[in-house]
Amino acid sequence: MLPSDCSVQLMDIDDSISAEDAISVQSRKDEFLAMLAHELRNPLASIRNAVEVLRRLDLQEPRAEWAREVVDRQAAQLSRMIDDLLDVSRITRGTITLRPAPLNLAAIIVRAIEVNLPLIKARRLKLIVESGPLDLDLDGDEVRLTQALANILNNAAKYSNEEGRIWLSVEIESGQAAVHVKDEGIGIPPELLPHIFDLFTQGPRTLDRTQGGLGIGLSVVRRLIEMHGGKVEVSSEGEGRGTDFVVWLPLRGEQGLISGRDPHDSPATWSRLNFLAT
């Protein structure tokens, strides 16, 4: 019989091997996700180039135009999913980086809406922009913040009932900008709510809602917002009662002092936002 201390050493070795195996499996999974995302980019690029060719042909046949719009919209959705796959791989490996700069929140929201306009219009949704503090400055990575807010809007649009409504508003809470995105869609069951930002978590699917995605978009959102010193939360009163996302982002200490601001980044941006939302 082995001495007791020898048994402990064997158990430690077994635990070490298990931990090493787990790390190896995780590493291989991350490599696979990154490889898959990169490999999918090539055929998707060809599809989007073909769609652009069709657009320039200015086809008069209504069915041809409808088909082009469908392909364009679905290709954009695939592109978003591929970007999320790449970001999950970067986040788990700790290689995602930010390029912070002075930004205007209104302009970021407008760009996030523009990304989702095809889906919003295709599902005949009404986007309601509620008044509030309109011209807020913060420091952040424009691309990443646009991506995070676009993912939240995309989630609201996907899980809204057709011809439903989505509300977007901005408030100042404890020195932070609070961006609210509320919908009256299918809602979130209470048992799923604590896990909604976990990787590969999805809401319930029905036959008429097949755009569930990979369940990674909101996980990416949480990480990107946290990297900006903010936080994101979601609430829902249950299935069929909609969801309410809130993103908090720190404001710049001195507002309205961004030098060389693009004229697009101004209160007039919100007029454009309301135009887009109609």
Side-chain angles (χ1 to χ4, degrees):
M1 189 173 71
L2 291 173
S4 58
D5 60 338
C6 185
S7 299
V8 172
Q9 290 177 6
L10 288 176
M11 291 175 60
D12 291 341
I13 292 174
D14 289 340
D15 291 342
S16 177
I17 291 174
S18 298
E20 290 177 358
D21 287 344
I23 293 173
S24 178
V25 169
Q26 181 66 41
S27 178
R28 289 198 298 270
K29 184 183 71 174
D30 294 342
E31 290 176 1
F32 171 77
L33 290 176
M35 179 185 67
L36 176 64
H38 282 294
E39 290 298 322
L40 289 175
R41 279 185 178 276
N42 294 329
L44 182 59
S46 298
I47 292 172
R48 304 204 75 171
N49 287 337
V51 169
E52 183 60 30
V53 170
L54 291 175
R55 179 182 288 110
R56 294 181 181 182
L57 289 177
D58 193 24
L59 301 176
Q60 300 300 315
E61 168 61 50
R63 290 175 297 180
E65 177 64 16
W66 170 83
R68 184 196 63 76
E69 290 181 355
V70 169
V71 174
D72 191 22
R73 186 166 62 250
Q74 296 304 320
Q77 183 70 8
L78 284 172
S79 180
R80 180 190 301 276
M81 292 164 64
I82 291 171
D83 288 341
D84 285 345
L85 275 174
L86 285 171
D87 284 336
V88 166
S89 175
R90 295 185 185 110
I91 287 172
T92 55
R93 289 181 294 160
T95 59
I96 194 167
T97 58
L98 299 180
R99 295 179 175 84
L103 299 173
N104 180 261
L105 181 59
I108 295 171
I109 292 175
V110 166
R111 289 161 189 152
I113 290 177
E114 289 173 335
V115 170
N116 286 288
L117 269 184
L119 179 60
I120 290 172
K121 291 182 176 179
R123 309 201 73 230
R124 301 187 298 279
L125 301 172
K126 175 65 175 179
L127 177 61
I128 302 167
V129 180
E130 299 179 338
S131 298
L134 306 182
D135 196 27
L136 301 176
D137 298 333
L138 48 86
D139 291 309
D141 186 310
E142 177 182 355
V143 172
R144 293 304 187 180
L145 285 179
T146 299
Q147 176 187 358
L149 294 181
N151 276 7
I152 290 177
L153 279 170
N154 184 262
N155 188 84
K158 284 193 301 185
Y159 292 111
S160 288
N161 300 307
E162 289 202 5
E163 301 184 0
R165 294 173 295 179
I166 300 173
W167 290 266
L168 188 151
S169 63
V170 178
E171 300 174 356
I172 297 179
E173 299 180 4
S174 302
Q176 293 186 316
V179 183
H180 295 255
V181 178
K182 182 178 180 180
D183 65 71
E184 53 185 4
I186 66 175
I188 304 172
E191 66 274 12
L192 184 61
L193 199 57
H195 309 288
I196 200 66
F197 293 106
D198 294 345
L199 198 57
F200 302 120
T201 297
Q202 294 174 311
R205 293 190 184 193
T206 62
L207 291 176
D208 62 330
R209 295 185 184 90
T210 57
Q211 303 186 67
L214 299 175
I216 58 180
L218 293 180
S219 178
V220 171
V221 166
R222 179 174 62 180
R223 182 58 181 144
L224 291 178
I225 295 301
E226 288 176 349
M227 291 176 69
H228 281 85
K231 65 177 181 177
V232 57
E233 293 181 356
V234 62
S235 59
S236 175
E237 296 183 2
E239 293 186 62
R241 307 190 67 176
T243 59
D244 187 1
F245 283 88
V246 186
V247 173
W248 287 274
L249 291 167
L251 294 171
R252 288 175 59 86
E254 298 179 332
Q255 293 290 300
L257 299 178
I258 298 179
S259 61
R261 171 181 287 174
D262 190 306
H264 177 71
D265 297 345
S266 67
T269 300
W270 283 85
S271 297
R272 180 164 175 253
L273 190 155
N274 280 283
F275 172 76
L276 291 172
T278 58

